[in-house]
Amino acid sequence: MKRAASIVLLFVAAAAFAETKRAFSIEDLYRVKGVGGLTLSPDGKTLAFTVGVSDLPRAKRTTKIWVMDVDGQNARELTNGDADSSPRFSPDGKQLAFVRDSNLFLLPLGGGEARQLTSIATGVSDPLWSPNGKWIAFATDIYPECGSDNACNKKVADRWSKGKLQAHMSDGLLYRHWTAWKDGTVTHTFLANAETGDVRDVTPGRFDAPPFSLGGPLQYAFSPDSNELAVASNHDPDPASSTNSDLWLISFNASTPNARNITEANKGYDNSPQYSPDGRYIAYRTQKTPRYESDLFMIAIYDRAAGSSRVVSQKFNNWIDELRWSGDSKSIVFSGEVEGHNPLFKLDFASGAIAQVWSDQTIDAFDIAKNGREIFYVHRSVGEPSEIYRAELGETFAPSRKKLSTFNRDLMNEVDIRPAEITTLAGIQVFIVKPHGFDPSKKYPLILNVHGGPQSQWADSFRGDWQVYPGAGYVVAFPNPHGSTGFGQELTAQISGDWGGKVFEDLMKVTDALEKLPYVDNSRMGAMGWSYGGYMMNWFEGHTDRFKVLASMMGIYDNRSFFGATEELWFPEWDLKGQPWNSDLYEKFSPSNYVKNFKTPCLVITGERDYRVPYTQGLQMYTALQKMGVPSRLIVYSNAGHWPSWYEMALYYTAHLEWFQKYLGGGAPPWSTEAFLRNAVFDTTTGKRIEDEKKAPENPQGKPDVKPR
């Protein structure tokens, strides 16, 4: 009873403290410092990590490498570049490798300046030391006819990009990916000599090795004796329709190329290799269903002596992300998506038993001490930006949890960063963030935010959308409907072949429950979404009029034309069960077939370099809205892909706040959409606000009426 009373008093005190802070704004979002890239030194005494700092007025972002003792003491900036990333301790702990200016640098930790190790025009990403300290593996995009010949790669690239003629050519699919045209390039794994910087291509040929990936675990690993490298690569003849990444072993003792496929029997996905410390096994993530990118991610073990693989995580029915071997090679610690969190679990290799050993909302990166007990990790939650923590694995509560960094302390003391309440409405998990200065006796406008993926989850993690809108006076709700991860693979799978079915029904049930909350004004409800969430906004247009306003970003409007222009065809082929000419789901679940019902004011945002959901989808949606006489606004980023850059996102938040204020009555953005789009808010040289000399004439195109001279 006393403990319950103490918790109530704690919440009351926290609420009172929040009232002394001011509301969160767009500008505050760009004061948040990003902490990441965490790694532990071999002697277990030092942590290296990156800290990103944004300067919105100057449109500049810097990332530097920091180090600190494992008890949180002696934190200090280690590098002085503008974009230093990927810190990696050498095996002997005497040097730190990192990436600067798209090349490898080495910094002696005993003192002295960093020296540039590589100088290649094709760039460096994802460096990894060999255990003997002689090599550093990395990924780079090259022309296969050039291999590791830097002069050849530079010559071809310069001729292509700087010549008078600009054009693309392809004889096969997957000719462009995410935001870039392939133009004959492939991703290869190189080795750099840690002494001389000389490089060699260890994955020659016309296949990506490793495949394209948006973050996630590393796709190659060294054997403990440094004589072998496991690399992921997909050699299927139709890569646009295949998820068949395999693991290939490359022996450095052989005199000729010798890559050997150890997962050929599985036509699904195999990736993220990790050798056991004793060298007997390779653990990796696997999916068993071919061409299904959202199949269950499991852990498999390859026995190097027997030459056979087996799945060892059958008892875990959610996606597995990062994994780490224990020092004795008897267990694996992994992170998994579970009900809006990603706890850490321990898998006993012999018995297959799985137990949760730590949970702390969102864990972005982690490293484990050699004793197997201490964990160091980057944590964030809806109400807490990223910081570094330490804990003891195996505990169920938090007595050992210690916060090691305080990069965002001053901001949190000044600004009301709102936490989320996690609840269940109509059987569906929903995160609700209440507005700044919340008064339960008042009613507030509501924004429903539908997640993308569609196979993903809203998680208890800090994001701009979860703070900017509550800071402007909105209740925001983030549901995890059918198709979400973290609630068992069966629920995740049920969205495939049913894009506008159960998910739509779930969202309507959630909205039914939300509008009955005593603090929600059900006459002022809006909805927004990105990617699949943008598709759902387009679907809302033709299937419900309960929202006063919608905002669709990077959303599919017409399934048939989407199929003809997207790059990863395995996605629609699985989720819509075939191609447009042999599956009626393309027509059944296409928002373009319900234009006659469009009536809700809608903001449409897209990017010209979005090759996942090509920007013409947004143009088509906007044209339909305009021809139906529906109030609508179109914003097209010239250089953005499916995920706009950090600076471009300031326009995203501005446009949403302005659009929602017009129809829902919340707070206004600190500047207008038109002014920010015209680069008329900040002088990026001085960082000062530009004074409005006179209001620009009305211009719905958002461009100058007269071309500047």
Side-chain angles (χ1 to χ4, degrees), residues 650-700:
L651 176 63
Y652 163 92
Y653 294 116
T654 300
H656 278 76
L657 282 180
E658 190 172 87
W659 193 248
F660 289 145
Q661 185 200 34
K662 183 175 181 179
Y663 293 97
L664 301 179
W671 42 73
S672 72
T673 303
E674 184 177 51
F676 200 85
L677 185 147
R678 291 183 173 195
N679 298 300
V681 173
F682 296 109
D683 182 330
T684 55
T685 301
T686 65
K688 295 181 179 179
R689 285 288 295 267
I690 297 173
E691 296 296 330
D692 293 328
E693 297 181 0
K694 62 180 179 179
K695 187 178 181 345
E698 189 68 24
N699 177 9

Side-chain angles (χ1 to χ4, degrees), residues 196-229:
T196 67
D198 293 337
V199 300
R200 62 179 171 128
D201 184 355
V202 295
T203 58
R206 296 189 173 274
F207 299 100
D208 287 327
F212 174 83
S213 176
L214 294 169
L218 204 61
Q219 299 186 83
Y220 39 81
F222 283 100
S223 61
D225 61 8
S226 301
N227 290 329
E228 185 177 271
L229 188 74

Side-chain angles (χ1 to χ4, degrees), residues 474-616:
Y474 296 96
V475 174
V476 291
F478 302 82
N480 278 320
H482 275 82
S484 298
T485 55
F487 301 86
Q489 182 61 22
E490 294 78 15
L491 187 83
T492 302
Q494 287 177 26
I495 193 173
S496 299
D498 191 37
W499 275 11
K502 295 183 183 67
V503 180
F504 177 74
E505 294 170 7
D506 286 351
L507 296 172
M508 293 301 99
K509 291 175 184 177
V510 167
T511 306
D512 289 341
L514 288 168
E515 68 178 7
K516 293 176 184 176
L517 295 175
Y519 52 85
V520 169
D521 184 345
N522 60 16
S523 68
R524 293 190 294 158
M525 298 193 302
M528 63 182 292
W530 189 332
S531 193
Y532 175 82
Y535 161 86
M536 186 52 66
M537 296 305 102
N538 300 345
W539 189 254
F540 278 8
E541 273 287 358
H543 292 81
T544 181
D545 60 1
R546 69 189 307 172
F547 299 102
K548 287 197 69 174
V549 63
L550 300 172
S552 171
M553 184 164 181
M554 313 300 188
I556 298 171
Y557 163 79
D558 182 78
N559 289 334
R560 178 179 288 271
S561 57
F562 162 73
F563 178 87
T566 191
E567 7 86 286
E568 293 181 351
L569 291 175
W570 63 73
F571 169 61
E573 286 176 337
W574 181 271
D575 262 36
L576 293 173
K577 305 307 176 186
Q579 296 88 19
W581 48 89
N582 56 37
S583 171
D584 61 2
L585 297 183
Y586 284 84
E587 295 297 331
K588 179 179 179 180
F589 292 124
S590 184
S592 61
N593 287 332
Y594 302 92
V595 172
K596 64 181 181 181
N597 300 329
F598 284 13
K599 58 177 68 72
T600 306
C602 187
L603 170 67
V604 179
I605 301 180
T606 187
E608 290 187 22
R609 293 183 63 191
D610 185 354
Y611 302 152
R612 181 62 43 85
V613 179
Y615 82 104
T616 50

